[in-house]
Amino acid sequence: MGVEKHKILMVSDFFYPNFGGVENHIYYLSQCLIKLGHKVVVMTHAYKNRVGVRYMTGGLKVYYVPWVPFVMQNTLPTFYGTLPIMRTILIREQISLVHGHQAFSTLCHEALMHARTMGYKVVFTDHSLYGFGDIGSIHMNKVLQFTLADVTQAICVSHTSKENTVLRAGLPPEKVYVIPNAVDTAMFKPAQQRLCTDEIVIIVISRLVYRKGADLLVEVIPEVCRLHPNVHFIIGGDGPKRVRLEEMREKHSLQDRVDMLGAVPHAKVQSVLVTGHIFLNSSLTEAFCIAILEAASCGLLTVSTRVGGVPEVLPDDMVVLAEPDPDDMVRAVTKAIYMLPHIDPQAMHIRMKKLYSWHDVAKRTEIVYERALRCSNQELLERLSRYLACGAWAGKLFCLVMILDFLFWRFLQLWQPDEDIEIVPCLQLTRSNRGDETCDLNDNERSDGVHGRKD
Amino acid sequence: MDSENIGQRSSPTRKKWRKIAYGGMQPGYDDNHTDDSFLEDMIMNANVVKRNLLKAMLDSVSISQYICVVALVIVVWTCTLSATLNERSLMILDVGLLGSGFFVLLITVEMMSVTLLLNYVLKMAFFITGLYILSPIYYTLTRSISSDSIWSLTGSLIILHLFLHNYSGSTVRAPGALENPSLMSNVSLNASIVASLLIASRLPSRFHVFAVVLFSLQVFLFAPLVTYCIKRYSYRLHLCFSFSLMALTLALVHRLHRLIFVLLLAVFVFVNVICPYWLIRIQEYKFEINGPWDEAKLCFDIRD
């Protein structure tokens, strides 16, 4: 394994300077793939004045395509608008495989479509869960079905996510791999000294929105405070539900027992986590939940709602699960408080190191890439028949979209032949000249973490 | 997930595959391994209600009943416009309807007391006085607009009214009703009021206007309330009332116009026979999927 080196293009609307699960995943996966000797290029849309080509740690090249996001960091769907630049990048960088991330990234869907038209092998990673009931989900599922109808291999972050994706997109389950997220254990280290357990600190770090269960917190916190006089809460994060939490704090006069920190930058999360004993996650839906991993890596005992992929994330003795209902949550917190004396943060950290590593994720992803590249090439007609099977009306529409894309590509080939596109010289960025690269302080910190672990 | 702790330590041959995400790749299994536990937590058609044809047909009677009510109002409008119904008989009709409406409420609603009834009568008196004062304005309201536009606008408003009407309750809150009316039923009610004002503005005298508007508002505001109370009181009475109303409407329309009679009859057949049958037929295509990926529902109300 690893004899053949690939040239991979990662595509998603979500990337640094934005922060979140997907952004993290792409960054760490790319870093570890580069370490394995592959060439990785990231394509995303422009973030304010961050336009053009940038280099990040380890020679990770990022194309910030000048395409304006319109809602929630998503670009406006244009179907064919991205084909010229996409083609240029693919040829310039001599890409061998395209890897798209996240189901609601428009850029990702468009890029995968163009890559298939141009005959590239594509891999898609789904990071989210979707229902089947409401109009929004029905629309998203149709879009996903379109993209995945022709995807070479798909990756999901948990088994629940795999089941969901298979149902939504009608893929054969053998084509879908489960490769979870990981955590940078070198960055999330527990406190040097064990915290005193006279006062128990419960940490909550999440965006304060409905989907993250902020309303559940409003019910749970006063009850826990009433039952356990030595419990102290620290809430990090901001969002529309913050007002409700502050109201709850006023109403129950818990100002001295509930701290609200506001938004916590990702780099500061660890320093907040190490001040607590228990991490509380109240999400109503979650494909994987990296926050739990970060907390566990810092040696915190986790209490979480039993939703989505959360039960698969940690072994039973490292997490207390509860139904998303205030009474059960309070019971789980109580159970966690009694378990606390038996928890050793350092031991938990060492265990997490064995359970999760980005290098492992990269190695497993590499296998998926190899399988994808081994798949046979397909003619346009063969692929069209698969689109046609997507639905009575949608199938024909999908076919039309693909045929137009194909014609547009042929036109571009005539207009600017492949030979006329300049190829990027192969730069060997070794670890020694790392200091010369333009990268943010934050990236440096993160890369040090990755190195530290490898050595 | 039950087998979490089984096979944690060394096992004789090949470790059993587990549905977990931690601990890296499971030895001996690929990442795309799929076994029997795949989709085992999926629940299909959990919330689907089994319907039977007779029940669906009987429930659809409420719809045709209300269509009758609207058709009768339109019959009265056309009669007034063609001067076959003079203002005196219109006023008798108004008073008669008001009286019978109160009578029905008195019988069917057990919470009805004398004070509540007095309250209703007082409100009604205010309402009628206000309408009487405003009728000269309505009389000249649409003088500059042609009758064709008024008719087509009225027609579309009535269709809108029928589409958005709340057939299972009453927009005017019945005594003891639990929920508040929805936005859609309010829009529907307003459409019907505008339609009756438009029609009234085509009439020859102020007193005509007053009589017709009073009649239409009585029907559009209180007919759903009265029929709702009847339905709550006795389902059999509701059915009898509906069928006699349908017969009356068909007879009146038959005298008015042959083609419209056929159309109305077709609508009744469609609403009461074809639609329920259709609903039962498409039930078998119902495919509802639930599973662990669904967003959890909170079991308490969010108070903002």
Side-chain angles (χ1 to χ4, degrees):
Chain A
M1 207 167 25
V3 181
E4 197 189 344
K5 297 297 171 202
H6 314 305
K7 288 169 178 155
I8 302 143
L9 178 70
M10 301 268 181
V11 190
S12 182
D13 269 316
F14 311 100
F15 195 64
Y16 184 82
N18 212 32
F19 262 109
V22 183
E23 291 84 345
N24 247 319
H25 182 102
I26 299 174
Y27 179 81
Y28 281 111
L29 180 62
S30 307
Q31 291 297 347
C32 294
L33 285 170
I34 289 173
K35 297 252 162 57
L36 288 171
H38 303 290
K39 177 181 166 182
V40 183
V41 180
V42 177
M43 178 181 162
T44 184
H45 66 74
Y47 282 88
K48 291 200 182 112
N49 57 358
R50 211 177 161 92
V51 190
V53 181
R54 304 282 173 116
Y55 281 94
M56 289 176 88
T57 320
L60 174 63
K61 191 175 186 180
V62 187
Y63 281 86
Y64 288 94
V65 177
W67 220 253
V68 190
F70 82 116
V71 63
M72 285 163 70
Q73 289 304 342
N74 255 306
T75 43
L76 201 68
T78 53
F79 287 102
Y80 306 115
T82 44
L83 179 56
I85 194 158
M86 184 76 199
R87 173 169 169 263
T88 315
I89 293 175
L90 286 173
I91 294 170
R92 267 179 70 82
E93 300 287 343
Q94 295 174 292
I95 297 297
S96 54
L97 186 133
V98 181
H99 187 171
H101 289 266
Q102 186 63 316
F104 41 78
S105 158
T106 337
L107 191 67
C108 158
H109 286 296
E110 284 184 19
L112 293 189
M113 177 174 94
H114 302 322
R116 283 304 290 159
T117 304
M118 294 171 67
Y120 288 93
K121 299 292 187 319
V122 300
V123 174
F124 172 80
T125 300
D126 200 354
H127 295 258
S128 54
L129 295 177
Y130 259 90
F132 296 90
D134 56 304
I135 303 268
S137 306
I138 291 169
H139 168 73
M140 274 308 302
N141 292 347
K142 214 66 200 172
V143 172
L144 188 76
Q145 196 183 20
F146 171 58
T147 305
L148 293 196
D150 200 28
V151 86
T152 326
Q153 306 287 356
I155 300 175
C156 288
V157 289
S158 64
H159 294 283
T160 308
S161 171
K162 173 176 171 177
E163 293 178 350
N164 188 235
T165 305
V166 166
L167 283 176
R168 285 158 63 199
L171 277 178
E174 310 79 61
K175 258 177 124 179
V176 186
Y177 292 72
V178 176
I179 300 177
N181 284 312
V183 60
D184 186 355
T185 38
M187 189 176 163
F188 290 93
K189 278 187 188 132
Q192 292 300 317
Q193 284 134 355
R194 247 188 114 150
L195 294 171
C196 141
T197 48
D198 294 341
E199 188 189 38
I200 293 164
V201 181
I202 300 181
I203 309 262
V204 178
I205 296 182
S206 86
R207 279 179 297 121
L208 301 176
V209 294
Y210 173 79
R211 279 165 73 91
K212 296 285 177 190
D215 300 289
L216 216 48
L217 287 178
V218 172
E219 306 286 321
V220 169
I221 291 173
E223 189 59 21
V224 171
C225 286
R226 197 181 61 80
L227 287 174
H228 307 280
N230 60 339
V231 164
H232 189 94
F233 276 92
I234 296 179
I235 302 172
D238 206 347
K241 296 283 183 183
R242 188 175 172 179
V243 182
R244 285 208 69 209
L245 281 163
E246 276 167 0
E247 270 172 17
M248 173 275 294
R249 196 168 64 159
E250 299 282 319
K251 193 177 153 196
H252 299 272
S253 332
L254 294 171
Q255 285 89 341
D256 54 339
R257 297 183 60 192
V258 180
D259 278 345
M260 308 263 309
L261 302 179
V264 181
H266 192 249
K268 297 256 168 63
V269 167
Q270 189 262 349
S271 57
V272 176
L273 283 175
V274 293
T275 58
H277 302 89
I278 294 174
F279 180 78
L280 180 62
N281 170 47
S282 57
S283 281
L284 300 182
T285 173
E286 200 75 71
F288 184 80
C289 199
I290 292 191
I292 294 181
L293 290 194
E294 292 172 351
S297 177
C298 286
L300 275 74
L301 181 61
T302 304
V303 176
S304 174
T305 43
R306 189 182 283 117
V307 291
V310 172
E312 302 164 25
V313 170
L314 286 178
D316 281 353
D317 51 336
M318 290 171 85
V319 63
V320 184
L321 293 172
E323 296 306 319
D325 143 82
D327 297 339
D328 207 37
M329 293 280 285
V330 172
R331 232 170 286 140
V333 172
T334 310
K335 189 181 164 197
I337 289 172
Y338 289 126
M339 275 167 77
L340 215 50
H342 310 292
I343 299 289
D344 175 16
Q346 293 294 344
M348 204 179 227
H349 176 72
I350 291 162
R351 223 171 133 196
M352 280 304 286
K353 262 188 182 169
K354 287 193 196 112
L355 291 179
Y356 283 104
S357 128
W358 282 109
H359 290 283
D360 175 56
V361 171
K363 281 196 194 98
R364 291 161 77 176
T365 311
E366 198 181 27
I367 296 171
V368 180
Y369 290 160
E370 266 153 28
R371 296 243 175 108
L373 288 168
R374 250 186 279 140
C375 289
S376 58
N377 287 318
Q378 275 168 326
E379 290 296 308
L380 179 68
L381 279 178
E382 276 179 74
R383 293 173 37 222
L384 282 184
S385 68
R386 255 189 276 164
Y387 285 110
L388 208 54
C390 285
W393 287 97
K396 291 173 186 78
L397 200 68
F398 291 171
C399 279
L400 191 70
V401 169
M402 285 313 287
I403 291 168
L404 283 178
D405 201 46
F406 185 78
L407 291 177
F408 189 29
W409 173 54
R410 288 289 178 191
F411 167 73
L412 283 177
Q413 275 186 322
L414 288 177
W415 195 47
Q416 189 187 26
D418 289 3
E419 303 86 69
D420 291 3
I421 296 174
E422 197 187 358
I423 287 166
V424 171
C426 188
L427 293 175
Q428 275 301 328
L429 289 166
T430 48
R431 220 186 288 173
S432 55
N433 61 0
R434 209 176 34 153
D436 305 334
E437 294 143 28
T438 54
C439 60
D440 302 54
L441 183 72
N442 197 12
D443 301 334
N444 259 326
E445 274 178 19
R446 297 209 285 192
S447 93
D448 288 338
V450 173
H451 285 300
R453 192 170 26 162
K454 203 188 174 190
D455 296 340
Chain B
M1 302 307 296
D2 302 336
S3 57
E4 205 98 299
N5 295 317
I6 309 166
Q8 188 98 16
R9 303 272 164 259
S10 63
S11 59
T13 48
R14 195 184 183 196
K15 273 187 189 172
K16 200 168 173 295
W17 185 81
R18 291 180 299 157
K19 209 171 180 176
I20 50 169
Y22 53 86
M25 207 170 183
Q26 297 184 36
Y29 296 97
D30 278 341
D31 279 325
N32 62 347
H33 177 80
T34 311
D35 70 354
D36 301 339
S37 67
F38 188 68
L39 288 182
E40 68 180 356
D41 291 327
M42 183 172 80
I43 306 160
M44 279 200 295
N45 293 351
N47 310 318
V48 175
V49 187
K50 280 262 177 258
R51 291 185 172 84
N52 72 5
L53 187 59
L54 190 67
K55 177 98 174 45
M57 280 167 91
L58 286 181
D59 283 344
S60 68
V61 167
S62 307
I63 299 172
S64 42
Q65 183 202 50
Y66 193 72
I67 292 175
C68 282
V69 170
V70 174
L72 285 174
V73 172
I74 295 170
V75 167
V76 170
W77 285 351
T78 44
C79 285
T80 323
L81 280 170
S82 62
T84 43
L85 209 64
N86 61 9
E87 59 263 51
R88 172 170 292 200
S89 40
L90 259 178
M91 277 318 290
I92 293 170
L93 190 65
D94 284 351
V95 174
L97 273 180
L98 201 60
S100 51
F102 271 121
F103 179 67
V104 170
L105 281 188
L106 209 59
I107 293 176
T108 55
V109 182
E110 58 267 26
M111 287 158 68
M112 195 61 80
S113 65
V114 180
T115 49
L116 193 63
L117 201 67
L118 267 180
N119 185 14
Y120 274 144
V121 170
L122 196 69
K123 275 183 185 160
M124 211 59 205
F126 277 129
F127 176 70
I128 291 171
T129 320
L131 199 62
Y132 189 74
I133 295 169
L134 285 173
S135 59
I137 300 176
Y138 297 143
Y139 173 55
T140 55
L141 189 65
T142 63
R143 185 153 286 179
S144 57
I145 304 172
S146 80
S147 286
D148 291 350
S149 325
I150 293 296
W151 269 114
S152 56
L153 192 56
T154 309
S156 27
L157 282 172
I158 287 294
I159 290 171
L160 180 76
H161 170 66
L162 282 175
F163 261 104
L164 301 182
H165 183 72
N166 175 11
Y167 290 96
S168 55
S170 154
T171 309
V172 174
R173 220 170 135 187
L178 286 175
E179 63 232 45
N180 286 321
S182 68
L183 172 73
M184 282 306 161
S185 68
N186 277 320
V187 170
S188 155
L189 184 64
N190 280 302
S192 68
I193 291 173
V194 173
S196 40
L197 290 182
L198 287 176
I199 282 296
S201 66
R202 297 286 106 179
L203 291 171
S205 80
R206 290 170 194 182
F207 197 68
H208 267 104
V209 173
F210 169 68
V212 161
V213 173
L214 181 61
F215 168 74
S216 330
L217 290 193
Q218 267 181 25
V219 174
F220 287 130
L221 284 171
F222 301 114
L225 176 66
V226 169
T227 53
Y228 176 67
C229 288
I230 292 176
K231 196 173 165 185
R232 253 197 341 189
Y233 179 68
S234 145
Y235 198 73
R236 189 161 295 177
L237 186 66
H238 160 74
L239 284 183
C240 291
F241 178 64
S242 306
F243 283 119
S244 45
L245 206 63
M246 273 152 91
L248 175 71
T249 316
L250 284 174
L252 282 176
V253 170
H254 183 66
R255 272 178 51 196
L256 207 71
H257 201 289
R258 192 66 63 82
L259 183 67
I260 297 178
F261 167 77
V262 175
L263 269 177
L264 194 64
L265 198 65
V267 167
F268 286 155
V269 171
F270 181 69
V271 168
N272 288 324
V273 182
I274 298 177
C275 283
Y277 178 69
W278 197 11
L279 180 74
I280 301 295
R281 276 296 299 275
I282 58 176
Q283 279 290 303
E284 63 183 271
Y285 299 111
K286 186 102 184 171
F287 185 51
E288 206 186 79
I289 312 169
N290 291 96
W293 48 80
D294 282 326
E295 192 177 296
K297 294 227 166 49
L298 295 176
C299 53
F300 54 90
D301 288 332
I302 300 168
R303 296 174 301 269
D304 271 320

